Amino acid sequence: MASTTVMTELETFAGERDWAQFHTPENLVKSISIEAGELLECFQWNPDADPERVTDELADVLTYCLLLAQRLGVDPDQIVLDKLAKTREKYPVDRSRGRSTKYDQL
Amino acid sequence: MASTTVMTELETFAGERDWAQFHTPENLVKSISIEAGELLECFQWNPDADPERVTDELADVLTYCLLLAQRLGVDPDQIVLDKLAKTREKYPVDRSRGRSTKYDQL
Amino acid sequence: MASTTVMTELETFAGERDWAQFHTPENLVKSISIEAGELLECFQWNPDADPERVTDELADVLTYCLLLAQRLGVDPDQIVLDKLAKTREKYPVDRSRGRSTKYDQL
Amino acid sequence: MASTTVMTELETFAGERDWAQFHTPENLVKSISIEAGELLECFQWNPDADPERVTDELADVLTYCLLLAQRLGVDPDQIVLDKLAKTREKYPVDRSRGRSTKYDQL
């Protein structure tokens, strides 16, 4: 995922500010959790939420995910596809269809 | 972010299993937080972590982020770029260079 | 945990505001995650944090934990002790001493 | 919150295993977020959850909260009461009654 444009833009943004020093894997992972909490706050008391606010918070989570992928030297697109291949095996269509049951209880 | 391939693959995967019914924005957002916690667990007692395990958990966070973007009808690439434009304004290079200070304290 | 005073105070506080309707287990659990994220934000870029700010955020996490215990009808003190008994078995002193290894890898 | 018994038991437990070295504020805070994620997982696809499983996960969050309070040298009971006093001011009964609106929008 993430076109070359996005990845380059993120790198430039951090580079201009000399922020790579703060972007250790651990700090980026903490940041993902923090932003995931802000995203969840959109739904704190209600299953519905303002889509614009949700989009804004989702963008923050995604940004830190891409920075982490960059730091790890992995391609975001590829790791999602790789994981999907594993998940397909854990959740065969015939047993998981229409059910939210976890794979170890299928 | 997310090439057409990834987005199509995710849609097919969920479609085959009839899982769109579970993928409400709220459930996807809870899932992002849950997976962010598993990603953080790689660093629970240690600033270093096995890159392969980190990659695997990052893929899970990313997958739910992309499913949420799909559900919201937004382009993941575009929302990251839009947010970056706002962040550039909040953190001018000259004031934020080499500092991790939050924008409201710059 | 939680003296009768705290539990009564929390109940009065929510009762006066007619907030029990919002305090479903799911909403309280989301709130715990959200506040845990704010607590983590104290350490986003730095292993050190202002103890006063940390205390303040910890109080928020604890508050929602106590409200959830109340809602579930369990005694916070007792469930911590019960869990500790299980954890003692999973982490025998001789094998876990001075190590942060997870029990399934001991 | 937390009777002397619980606090003493937790201290003995960690002391026997020589785990205080791992219990830095930052590590405990990460642990609170991780466990909050596991608690949230009980509700991932469903607003209802098995109360026993919820209780078990809540106990984990609480345990790390108490260890952090201990580490910070604060009384869990007292900090919840202190915070409640502040929250009472932010949410006056007459304006917040029966509403989940955030204080800055009341």
Side-chain angles (χ1 to χ4, degrees), chain D residues 2-90:
Chain D
S3 65
T4 320
T5 310
V6 178
M7 296 309 260
T8 310
E9 286 286 318
L10 286 173
E11 204 158 6
T12 307
F13 173 80
E16 282 170 355
R17 283 158 189 78
D18 196 19
W19 280 1
Q21 59 181 313
F22 305 122
H23 292 172
T24 60
E26 190 192 18
N27 286 353
L28 292 171
V29 163
K30 284 184 277 178
S31 302
I32 290 170
S33 256
I34 294 163
E35 297 297 342
E38 295 189 12
L39 177 56
L40 189 60
E41 200 184 348
C42 303
F43 298 87
Q44 186 168 14
W45 306 115
N46 207 305
D48 298 314
D50 172 26
E52 207 167 318
R53 194 179 150 211
V54 177
T55 300
D56 214 58
E57 298 296 349
L58 173 59
D60 287 339
V61 182
L62 269 170
T63 299
Y64 283 118
C65 285
L66 296 185
L67 286 167
L68 179 58
Q70 210 158 47
R71 181 70 187 234
L72 294 170
V74 298
D75 177 64
D77 244 359
Q78 197 51 53
I79 66 173
V80 169
L81 290 173
D82 290 350
K83 190 63 185 264
L84 196 59
K86 288 188 212 171
T87 313
R88 279 183 191 283
E89 282 182 39
K90 273 160 114 179

Side-chain angles (χ1 to χ4, degrees), chain C residues 28-87:
Chain C
L28 292 171
V29 163
K30 282 185 278 179
S31 302
I32 291 169
S33 256
I34 294 162
E35 297 297 343
E38 295 189 13
L39 176 57
L40 189 60
E41 201 183 348
C42 304
F43 297 88
Q44 187 168 14
W45 306 115
N46 206 304
D48 298 313
D50 172 26
E52 210 167 314
R53 193 178 151 211
V54 176
T55 299
D56 214 57
E57 298 296 349
L58 173 59
D60 287 339
V61 182
L62 269 170
T63 299
Y64 283 118
C65 286
L66 295 185
L67 286 167
L68 179 57
Q70 211 158 45
R71 181 70 187 236
L72 295 170
V74 298
D75 177 63
D77 244 0
Q78 197 52 52
I79 68 173
V80 169
L81 289 174
D82 290 350
K83 191 63 185 265
L84 196 59
K86 288 188 212 170
T87 312

